[in-house]
Amino acid sequence: MGIASINPATGQTFATFQPLSADEMEKKLALAHHAFHAHRKSCFSQRAHALLRAAEILENESQRFGALMTSEMGKTLSSAVAEAKKCATACRYYAENGERHLADEVISSSASRSFVRYQPLGPVLAVMPWNFPFWQVFRFAAPALMAGNVGLLKHASNVPQCALAIEEIFTRAGFEEGIFQTLLIEAHQVDTLLDDGRIAAATLTGSEPAGRSVASRAGRNIKKTVLELGGSDPFLVLPSTDLDSTVKAAVGARTINNGQSCIAAKRFIVEETIYDEFENKFTATMKALQLGDPMDPATDIGPLATAKIREELHDQVLRAKKTGAKVLIGGEMPAGPGNYYPPTVLSDIPRDSPVFYEELFGPVAMLFRVCNLDEAIELANDSPFGLGSSVWTNDADEMEACINGIEAGQVFINGQVASDPRLPFGGVKRSGFGRELSAIGIREFVNVKTVWCK
Ligand code: NAP
């Protein structure tokens, strides 16, 4: 495919880019290395000032950035505009709190004075996915730049213009040349960067194979990594919840971003006494969603980002069916241009169906009936993933049992899983390691320096 902007609603290619040559990559690396030496000495207030300016640019031009995201990866325009605005919140959060999160921490010891000082590491390589083409980058970059690191972005090959727009935002915001650069490169060029002594660390948001490749190469070079990988989040529905509002939330949680979110709810685990009612209402609400042009405000679900993603999703639905699952609605590939896929609901998925353990990256929900809470938690945990989870109940004991028992980086009670700059974000098991956002996120790419004075 190469590096190209292809409109998922029409299949038309509207821009192509040549990957950087070895010489061009070397120039950018040298610039990043040089920029780090100046940036690390800048004060927090200077960095905060530039981040606040970036926030203003994002807010003022959210329509333009939103339209760019929609045209490259197909999310609805309203959600794309909201994404640009959300990036502004991350910039503001770190502008206002970064210095506090990285202030010296005094710790009593045998010394007359001992403390921890947080210092930047250097150029950090960010390998990012297309699904939230702005947000994924800003949630890495805002804390990284505030901490005094510099950023090098290898974005997904289908969102090159988003990648270039992000570099432009940081430059216009006042960050010196080289503090944030986009590298238009292909995945196979990442290893060269990870082997380069000037790259201090790496973060990857994306699929498991990509995470494995980047983390193992970085590990060989003894470089710190953060991995934000896939998820198959459980959504537990227990009898004390209000079913109508829960169904509404469930449909929203499955179809966010045209179903292509790592923290979308993918497995709906429902207690048997309310299962039939949930299934009927959920299926009817999914069926009523409007599939269509992502630029049209009436559209609920736009096309999937690439033709390959649609083929893979449809193949998963067919494999689920073949192994005994029921397709309650959807499951048919629409004719015509664009990577459209209808809202689809699967039930009765046997545990020995491989799809049971896979991530469904599109508007396809899996429903499960369970006898009680213990079975719900057991089923929720029967997954290689452990990113987010959402539990719907008004019973305090059930809440506590889920908070303790679910193997995930996040448990949301009576709410849809979402990222928030104030709260840590990340997973366990094969959903990755490390955390983004909050005080914990900004401390991932720093030298935690212990200082001991006699
Ligand atoms: P992907 O294929 O892994 O791509 C992600 C990024 O990794 C792209 O920039 C890609 O570049 C690059 N890449 C792929 N293979 C690589 C390799 N061997 N070495 C170095 N870089 C490599 O993932 P995707 O299909 O774009 O995104 C979907 C996945 O991301 C889903 O599993 C989703 O759950 C996960 N995700 C996780 C989070 C989270 O926060 N946990 C958030 C969003 C998405 P090219 O585009 O050039 O191939």
Side-chain angles (χ1 to χ4, degrees):
M1 181 183 86
I3 302 174
S5 307
I6 303 171
N7 189 332
T10 61
Q12 278 168 355
T13 302
F14 59 98
T16 55
F17 297 84
Q18 277 303 315
L20 294 181
S21 65
D23 279 355
E24 288 165 330
M25 211 152 86
E26 168 53 34
K27 280 193 189 119
K28 289 192 183 269
L29 264 176
L31 180 60
H33 181 68
H34 177 76
F36 174 60
H37 287 290
H39 186 53
R40 68 181 306 179
K41 293 187 193 126
S42 63
C43 58
F44 282 115
S45 61
Q46 265 174 287
R47 300 173 198 165
H49 187 263
L51 278 181
L52 290 174
R53 179 72 194 117
E56 276 170 16
I57 296 170
L58 284 157
E59 278 163 352
N60 293 343
E61 297 171 39
S62 58
Q63 286 293 335
R64 174 166 83 88
F65 298 134
L68 183 56
M69 289 182 232
T70 300
S71 61
E72 285 198 312
M73 54 66 67
K75 71 196 313 160
T76 59
L77 181 61
S78 57
S79 66
V81 170
E83 180 172 334
K85 290 180 182 165
K86 185 170 177 175
C87 294
T89 66
C91 292
R92 286 192 203 288
Y93 175 80
Y94 282 107
E96 288 160 10
N97 298 284
E99 182 171 5
R100 180 170 62 84
H101 292 330
L102 298 179
D104 288 351
E105 251 177 63
V106 175
I107 301 171
S108 325
S109 71
S110 58
S112 63
R113 192 162 73 100
S114 46
F115 59 96
V116 167
R117 175 159 296 170
Y118 297 104
Q119 292 186 312
L121 288 182
V124 182
L125 174 66
V127 182
M128 290 289 144
W130 47 266
N131 64 339
F132 291 94
F134 270 52
W135 172 244
Q136 307 290 4
V137 177
F138 276 91
R139 78 179 184 187
F140 148 73
L145 302 193
M146 189 64 190
N149 294 307
V150 309
L152 287 162
L153 169 66
K154 183 268 178 273
H155 216 326
S157 296
N158 56 330
V159 288
Q161 297 189 65
C162 287
L164 292 169
I166 294 167
E167 178 181 291
E168 182 204 306
I169 291 168
F170 283 120
T171 306
R172 282 172 59 203
F175 285 105
E176 293 296 330
E177 198 191 8
I179 291 177
F180 186 92
Q181 296 181 82
T182 283
L183 308 177
L184 291 181
I185 56 171
E186 293 177 320
H188 66 84
Q189 295 172 278
V190 167
D191 282 353
T192 311
L193 289 170
L194 293 169
D195 291 344
D196 192 290
R198 289 165 293 186
I199 296 287
T203 182
L204 177 134
T205 300
S207 64
E208 212 180 300
R212 191 174 287 123
S213 169
V214 165
S216 55
R217 193 71 172 212
R220 225 157 84 180
N221 287 289
I222 322 292
K223 289 179 185 175
K224 168 84 185 263
T225 45
V226 166
L227 295 184
E228 297 286 1
L229 307 180
S232 186
D233 284 8
F235 187 107
L236 276 60
V237 187
L238 298 163
S240 62
T241 194
D242 170 65
L243 211 55
D244 288 337
S245 56
T246 304
V247 165
K248 195 166 169 240
V251 170
R254 175 55 283 200
T255 56
I256 178 176
N257 210 37
N258 304 338
Q260 304 160 117
S261 169
C262 52
I263 47 168
K266 293 170 186 142
R267 297 177 294 138
F268 297 85
I269 301 170
V270 187
E271 209 259 8
E272 61 184 359
T273 55
I274 49 167
Y275 179 88
D276 289 338
E277 193 184 348
F278 180 88
E279 183 188 289
N280 289 339
K281 289 182 168 168
F282 181 81
T283 306
T285 313
M286 286 283 279
K287 205 172 178 177
L289 294 174
Q290 192 68 39
L291 183 69
D293 178 0
M295 291 287 183
D296 182 344
T299 294
D300 297 308
I301 301 186
L304 299 178
T306 67
K308 187 165 165 266
I309 289 162
R310 182 170 76 149
E311 273 161 35
E312 284 171 4
L313 184 69
H314 188 53
D315 178 62
Q316 286 176 301
V317 171
L318 295 181
R319 283 192 288 117
K321 202 170 160 188
K322 210 169 164 184
T323 50
K326 281 189 200 153
V327 182
L328 301 179
I329 55 158
E332 303 277 339
M333 189 91 101
N339 310 321
Y340 293 100
Y341 201 79
T344 297
V345 181
L346 306 176
S347 71
D348 300 272
I349 305 111
R351 284 217 199 187
D352 58 1
S353 168
V355 178
F356 181 95
Y357 297 100
E358 294 172 5
E359 178 182 30
L360 293 168
F361 220 56
V364 180
M366 294 194 273
L367 304 190
F368 299 93
R369 185 195 298 261
V370 290
C371 301
N372 54 36
L373 178 64
D374 287 346
E375 194 188 341
I377 295 175
E378 186 275 320
L379 199 145
N381 290 340
D382 190 10
S383 166
F385 300 106
L387 191 55
S389 58
S390 180
V391 176
W392 295 75
T393 174
N394 283 310
D395 181 301
D397 290 342
E398 288 180 348
M399 291 177 193
E400 198 53 29
C402 291
I403 293 166
N404 282 325
I406 294 181
E407 296 163 359
Q410 299 148 88
V411 179
F412 278 59
I413 305 287
N414 297 327
Q416 182 179 333
V417 182
S419 54
D420 177 329
R422 296 164 294 189
L423 296 170
F425 183 96
V428 294
K429 297 159 82 174
R430 274 156 55 188
S431 291
F433 49 74
R435 291 291 178 268
E436 292 193 289
L437 302 175
S438 77
I440 296 175
I442 199 171
R443 291 180 189 156
E444 286 285 6
F445 294 118
V446 290
N447 174 11
V448 181
K449 187 181 271 180
T450 299
V451 183
W452 189 98
C453 311
K454 192 167 179 194

